[in-house]
């Protein structure tokens, strides 16, 4: 067994680009923490029942995502971690990650004025931070409606690096310049993007996750673009920024181990790597997804319905049994996004000769165009093909579902 993901569905304010499930109302926070703990306990035997022959089903990672997990009190986080330990076999040194916003990390502990919140996090077992910086520029942060400012972005990293070695930060590229509106609006310049990366590198952070700004249909960002108040992101600008990102981070000792993730040796995200490698995981909380190797399930994306269901001792989820084609498609998608690639031997062994023949036929045009290559019977994207990975993968999907 791989890990447990715990979704904390609360945020101080809504970022304009975000389409994850969250609420800006904290009224049900205490009730939600109790419900999360109850769901953790309710699901303690799931994987053992599916794989009773194995005796090594252990929790290797605990990941607090959201939303904004750093809005919880130390006592809440400690309670949830202790609940996991009380109900599951946990490995000796699990990776315990907390997603956090910069403004939360610059506050002092409630226990003592001289004690930082980071010391409290470390004291309850959290050993990895994932910090949502997104940009070090004030205009970008205002355009995205982030809760922190540029000064807090830098200050939190100065403090965090004193207490944590294993830190990841998020950066967004391809951001429109909000200083001008409508058709006259500019995109983030290459120089500005380079400054963002250089600032991140100056703190000695060992892991960086970076994503192109995308416009989701029901977000505030989409409405602002439609109203002409913000320019739409341009794919060609994002592609330039991606190339700059890869070049600068690899020159500084980072390994580009997944399309959007870069880590120094020994600092890859164990939680996310487990997802990409097809390991099992349980998702706790509203909207959280789970995977057991055979099926995928997801909890209802509604706080009130989630709380009511847990109160009635019912899991508020839906389940989909994955077909062979589903599992093949997922492997193609995750494999091409990572340094581990797609093993042609595994395709033949796990899915059969028919799938291998299909993949070989579909991949040929990308091999000819130098977007894919095969090394040691592993299919991988070339440097030129990396930015196009998701589109390439979709062309390799097996669509004749069984």
């Amino acid at each position: 067994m791989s890990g447990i993901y715990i979704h904390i569905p609360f945020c101080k304010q809504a970022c304009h680009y975000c389409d994850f499930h969250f609420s800006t109302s904290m009224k049900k926070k205490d009730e939600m923490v109790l419900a999360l703990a109850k769901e953790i306990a309710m699901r303690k035997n799931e994987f053992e029942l599916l794989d009773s022959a194995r005796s090594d089903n252990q929790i290797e990672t605990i990941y607090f995502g959201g939303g904004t997990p750093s809005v919880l009190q130390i006592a809440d986080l400690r309670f949830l971690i202790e609940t996991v330990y009380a109900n599951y076999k946990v490995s000796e040194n699990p990776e315990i990650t907390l997603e956090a916003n910069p403004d939360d990390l610059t506050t002092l502990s409630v226990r003592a004025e001289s004690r930082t919140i980071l010391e409290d996090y470390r004291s309850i077992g959290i050993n990895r931070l994932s910090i949502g910086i997104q940009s070090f520029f004030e205009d970008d942060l205002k355009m995205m409606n982030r809760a922190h400012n540029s000064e807090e972005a830098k200050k939190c990293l100065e403090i965090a690096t004193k207490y944590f070695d294993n830190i990841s930060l998020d950066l967004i590229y391809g951001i429109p310049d909000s200083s001008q509106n409508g058709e006259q609006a500019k995109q983030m310049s290459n120089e500005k993007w380079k400054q963002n990366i250089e600032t991140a590198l100056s703190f000695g952070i060992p892991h960086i996750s970076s994503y192109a700004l995308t416009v989701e249909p029901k977000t505030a960002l989409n409405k602002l673009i439609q109203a002409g108040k913000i320019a739409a992101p341009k794919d060609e600008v994002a592609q330039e920024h991606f190339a700059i990102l890869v070049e600068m981070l690899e020159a500084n000792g980072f390994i580009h181990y997944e399309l959007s993730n870069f880590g120094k040796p020994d600092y890859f995200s164990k939680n996310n790597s487990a997802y990409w490698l097809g390991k099992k995981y349980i998702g706790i909380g509203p909207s959280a997804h789970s995977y057991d190797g055979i099926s995928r399930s997801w909890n209802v994306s509604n706080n009130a319905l989630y709380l009511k269901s847990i109160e009635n001792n019912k899991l508020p989820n839906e389940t989909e049994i994955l077909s062979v084609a589903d599992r093949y498609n997922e492997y193609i998608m995750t494999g091409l996004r990572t340094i581990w690639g797609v093993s042609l031997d595994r395709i033949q062994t796990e899915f059969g000769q028919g799938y291998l023949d299909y993949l070989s036929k579909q991949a040929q045009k990308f091999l000819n165009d130098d977007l894919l290559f095969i090394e040691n019977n592993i299919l991988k994207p070339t440097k030129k093909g990396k930015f196009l990975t998701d589109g390439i993968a979709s062309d390799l999907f097996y669509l004749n579902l069984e």
Side-chain angles (χ1 to χ4, degrees), residues 173 210-212 242 256-261 276 330-342 372 379-381 385-391 393 397:
Y173 55 87
S210 191
Y211 309 89
F242 179 78
H256 189 192
Y257 73 104
E258 193 271 342
L259 183 63
S260 302
N261 287 271
W276 301 321
E330 289 202 10
Y331 178 49
I332 293 296
M333 175 61 78
T334 56
L336 285 185
R337 289 180 62 99
T338 70
I339 59 171
W340 302 291
V342 174
L372 294 176
L379 184 68
K380 297 180 180 181
K386 280 186 177 180
F387 184 75
L388 306 172
T389 295
D390 288 349
F397 287 168

Side-chain angles (χ1 to χ4, degrees), residues 89-211:
K89 183 178 180 182
V90 181
S91 64
E92 186 175 348
N93 295 301
E95 177 187 87
I96 305 180
T97 302
L98 179 81
E99 287 185 355
N101 275 354
D103 46 304
D104 294 323
L105 298 183
T106 55
T107 61
L108 293 175
S109 167
V110 295
R111 288 200 239 164
E113 289 186 1
S114 61
R115 184 183 176 106
T116 71
I117 194 73
L118 290 147
E119 290 175 276
D120 285 344
Y121 287 151
R122 200 168 65 175
S123 73
I124 62 172
I126 292 168
N127 51 33
R128 184 175 184 272
L129 297 177
S130 178
I131 306 175
I133 299 291
Q134 314 309 355
S135 177
F136 291 99
F137 289 93
E138 201 67 34
D139 58 331
D140 293 339
L141 297 172
K142 287 181 179 178
M143 187 277 287
M144 292 185 283
N145 200 40
R146 295 291 292 167
H148 68 279
N149 57 40
S150 177
E151 182 182 349
E152 288 172 323
K154 297 171 184 175
K155 183 180 178 182
C156 85
L157 293 177
E158 289 177 5
I159 299 172
T161 50
K162 293 179 181 178
Y163 299 98
F164 283 82
D165 174 51
N166 198 352
I167 298 174
S168 176
L169 62 80
D170 289 353
L171 292 176
I172 294 179
Y173 55 87
I175 301 172
D177 187 342
S178 59
S179 61
Q180 300 184 52
N181 293 332
E183 294 181 0
Q184 301 300 316
K186 298 179 181 178
Q187 303 288 307
M188 175 191 277
S189 68
N190 289 349
E191 186 56 38
K192 186 177 181 183
W193 175 232
K194 288 177 183 178
Q195 290 178 42
N196 255 333
I197 299 170
E198 287 168 355
T199 302
L201 291 171
S202 71
F203 291 97
I205 302 299
H207 190 282
I208 293 176
S209 297
S210 191
Y211 309 89

Side-chain angles (χ1 to χ4, degrees), residues 301-344:
S301 297
N302 181 294
N303 286 4
L305 293 177
Y306 173 84
L307 291 171
K308 183 177 181 180
S309 183
I310 294 296
E311 181 183 359
N312 293 326
N313 299 310
K314 294 182 179 179
L315 293 177
N317 60 22
E318 294 182 51
T319 299
E320 174 191 17
I321 303 299
L322 300 176
S323 68
V324 174
D326 291 332
R327 290 188 283 111
Y328 163 86
N329 290 343
E330 289 202 10
Y331 178 49
I332 293 296
M333 175 61 78
T334 56
L336 285 185
R337 289 180 62 99
T338 70
I339 59 171
W340 302 291
V342 174
S343 167
L344 300 183

Side-chain angles (χ1 to χ4, degrees), residues 343-356 377:
S343 167
L344 300 183
D345 292 334
R346 177 179 169 184
I347 293 292
Q348 184 171 35
T349 301
E350 189 170 327
F351 304 104
Q353 186 65 41
Y355 280 88
L356 179 60
N377 226 26

